[in-house]
Amino acid sequence: MSADRAQILNGIRRSLQRGELAGDGLKNVQGRLAQPPRGPTIARAQVAPADKVALFCQWAEFNNATIARIGTADVPGEVTAFLARSNLPATVAMAPSPLLEGYNWASEKMLSIRRGRGEGGDQVSITGAFAGIAETGTVVMASGPDHPVSLNLLPDTHIVVLREGDIVSGYEDVWTRLRERYGKDRMPRTVNTITGPSRTGDIEQTIELGAHGPRRMHILVVRE
């Protein structure tokens, strides 16, 4: 254990007025970490795969995102068409993801792509998604070299490319997938769950989009 980590943990113990765990208490914690218990599941999301995709789209649209259900070959064209429909510039910041590089971006001659992290002047970002959650229409983003977190937060418009096969029933399924993908002690630095564009409500609950992040979210649900 590093000196900094030990200092932080010792500070927490002092505030709780207790020492290090031992005996049954330590065994209980170790058992929970080795086999994390699953939380409750939501009945409405326990459906067949095709219905799961439809449910995700329904809830994403309910939460102010827009949806396009398309094939793999249509991804670059839908991005360009969405930007044109929204009167947005054909210049985007894209995550340097192998998944995204699999699409034929060169087919869209008018589209200008900069790969890398988000910057203050970016108006549009394109990212993949680790998963989609059918029960709420939420997309899940796992940070890493192929997905800078700033792309989720800085641009006014966030375009998400989500494969149908990555749509799961509920939140508990996401944590299972994360543990299987990354393994113990190797989780991403950040896991963001995003349900529609950023919004807030004042005391009268007047909703304002784009308060703390993108004001538009367009999700491309891609058939495989």
Side-chain angles (χ1 to χ4, degrees), residues 3 21 29 47 56 66 75 91 103 105 120-121 125 141 149 157 164 185 194 199 214:
L21 281 178
V29 171
V47 293
F56 170 86
T66 55
V75 170
T91 301
Y103 301 111
W105 300 104
S125 65
M141 309 298 188
V149 173
T157 300
E164 285 188 352
D185 300 327
I194 306 173
R199 58 197 176 278

Side-chain angles (χ1 to χ4, degrees), residues 109-127:
K109 303 300 183 183
M110 301 300 293
L111 189 62
S112 175
I113 300 175
R114 178 185 61 79
R115 292 162 175 82
R117 67 184 183 180
E119 298 178 356
D122 293 331
Q123 295 188 50
V124 181
S125 65
I126 303 175
T127 73

Side-chain angles (χ1 to χ4, degrees), residues 68-84:
R69 298 185 65 175
I70 57 177
T72 300
D74 301 321
V75 170
E78 171 57 26
V79 168
T80 302
F82 170 75
L83 296 176

